[in-house]
Amino acid sequence: MAAVIDGKAIAAEIRLAVKDEVAAHRAEFGEAPGLATVLVGDDPGSKIYVAGKHRASEEVGMRSIEHELPVDASESDVLDLVEDLNADDAVSGMIVQLPLPPQIDGGNVIATIDPRKDVDGLTPTNAGLLTQGRASLVPATPVGVMELLRRAGAELEGAEAVVIGRSNLVGRPLASLLLAENATVTICHSRTRDLPAVARRADVLVAAVGKPEFVTGDMVKEGATVIDVGINRTDEGLRGDVDPAVAEVAGFMTPVPGGVGPMTIALLLRSTLKAARFRRGLLAFRGG
Ligand code: NAP
């Protein structure tokens, strides 16, 4: 039976450490780092995520700055707000909650964010730095996955790592982080031929698919470390992308809930602190 990797407990430790660092930052500079969010429209899922980010940032003593725009906001409304937040010294880091309504080109909006404030790590500058092995601000979920792997003692050097999913937020940046740790990385997606056979090669298997219980026991090598990024709301409740029965085959496994989810928020707070250090010149930003 797989050992459970307790993301909730590890995330709680990280949040405590961030809280101390925020207090030290405030003592030194007279103000706490600030996290701004931009929510366009009233998608219930997005509202829950944004509320969670604010609660968590306040709990560690950061300032939380909330902006909401109506669902029919124009692209230039959003771009103007992002420019204002870029120029606002009270804002250390910002997040534009995705997805945006169809009249707004998300790529344009993301590209307008100051890369030094881009705590979601989605700007072309930060994505490019990561791809070049010069990670700066990186999406929080893949950083959380790497931290879970580290805590589980997973051997990455030379290991076969298979990531299912190639989104800009999870799959692609995670593949870059695994590569930086010298794993042999394969990315699977909806066009992958014989995905179960590819998945069975994995010493480390990460599912970021968005399909409940997509990964089944026959897709997992005996003793593999399996990380479940999926958050799927079904009629039966919250489900991951991995069938819980995979625990009979895997060596280590993350639960849903209580695995990757809590790590994402904790690492987002850590990124906000990092962004505040860029602003104070305590850390050099590599993106020019
Ligand atoms: P996404 O943008 O929808 O990407 C899903 C990926 O899965 C795509 O690359 C897609 O392939 C691939 N895929 C879909 N169906 C497939 C199939 N049948 N076989 C193989 N690959 C398939 O999703 P995401 O943003 O990466 O999120 C993935 C999951 O993680 C979701 O459940 C999301 O809620 C969850 N999530 C959790 C956290 C957290 O904090 N725990 C954070 C972010 C996301 P194509 O590219 O070919 O379409």
Side-chain angles (χ1 to χ4, degrees):
M1 206 61 181
V4 174
I5 309 175
D6 187 348
K8 202 171 162 192
I10 298 168
E13 273 177 43
I14 294 173
R15 281 155 75 146
L16 271 182
V18 170
K19 191 173 183 176
D20 285 347
E21 290 172 60
V22 168
H25 187 96
R26 200 175 42 222
E28 187 169 356
F29 300 108
E31 61 173 19
L35 176 66
T37 57
V38 176
L39 175 64
V40 186
D42 42 21
D43 175 69
S46 294
K47 280 193 152 190
I48 292 173
Y49 284 128
V50 168
K53 290 166 189 174
H54 284 288
R55 206 176 321 115
S57 56
E58 282 162 10
E59 273 167 20
V60 296
M62 288 183 184
R63 280 167 305 148
S64 114
I65 303 139
E66 265 177 272
H67 288 275
E68 289 190 15
L69 292 174
V71 68
D72 59 354
S74 68
E75 186 170 314
S76 63
D77 292 336
V78 183
L79 293 176
D80 287 349
L81 176 55
V82 169
E83 297 279 17
D84 287 349
L85 297 173
N86 282 344
D88 185 344
D89 269 338
V91 173
S92 315
M94 79 168 96
I95 288 170
V96 177
Q97 186 67 35
L98 301 176
L100 291 164
Q103 73 276 16
I104 299 169
D105 181 336
N108 279 345
V109 173
I110 296 298
T112 306
I113 298 173
D114 179 346
R116 289 170 185 73
K117 295 192 176 191
D118 168 31
V119 287
D120 261 348
L122 291 174
T123 56
T125 299
N126 282 317
L129 286 169
L130 175 61
T131 305
Q132 292 179 348
R134 305 172 68 227
S136 189
L137 288 169
V138 180
T141 302
V143 179
V145 170
M146 295 304 287
E147 184 64 20
L148 291 176
L149 289 172
R150 196 179 68 76
R151 302 272 189 135
E155 179 63 59
L156 295 178
E157 179 142 343
E160 289 269 2
V162 174
V163 179
I164 313 177
R166 55 175 164 179
S167 69
N168 289 338
L169 196 60
V170 188
R172 280 172 209 252
L174 180 60
S176 295
L177 292 170
L178 287 163
L179 188 61
E181 294 299 325
N182 300 313
T184 301
V185 184
T186 305
I187 306 180
C188 295
H189 46 75
S190 64
R191 317 290 166 85
T192 297
R193 209 182 315 134
D194 199 358
L195 191 148
V198 179
R200 272 194 299 274
R201 293 206 312 254
D203 304 305
V204 171
L205 179 64
V206 184
V209 194
K211 297 219 172 331
E213 299 175 3
F214 178 86
V215 173
T216 47
D218 59 320
M219 295 161 71
V220 177
K221 180 160 95 176
E222 185 84 35
T225 299
V226 179
I227 306 286
D228 188 351
V229 180
I231 299 179
N232 305 291
R233 290 170 216 286
T234 73
D235 292 343
E236 290 79 44
L238 202 65
R239 293 286 182 272
D241 286 348
V242 177
D243 180 348
V246 164
E248 287 160 29
V249 189
F252 289 89
M253 194 164 147
T254 57
V256 174
V260 175
M263 294 296 286
T264 295
I265 296 236
L267 273 307
L268 170 67
L269 299 173
R270 170 130 286 159
S271 288
T272 306
L273 200 52
K274 192 171 185 183
R277 290 178 176 151
F278 288 144
R279 290 196 74 66
R280 294 283 174 185
L282 301 173
L283 268 181
F285 183 71
R286 291 166 153 177

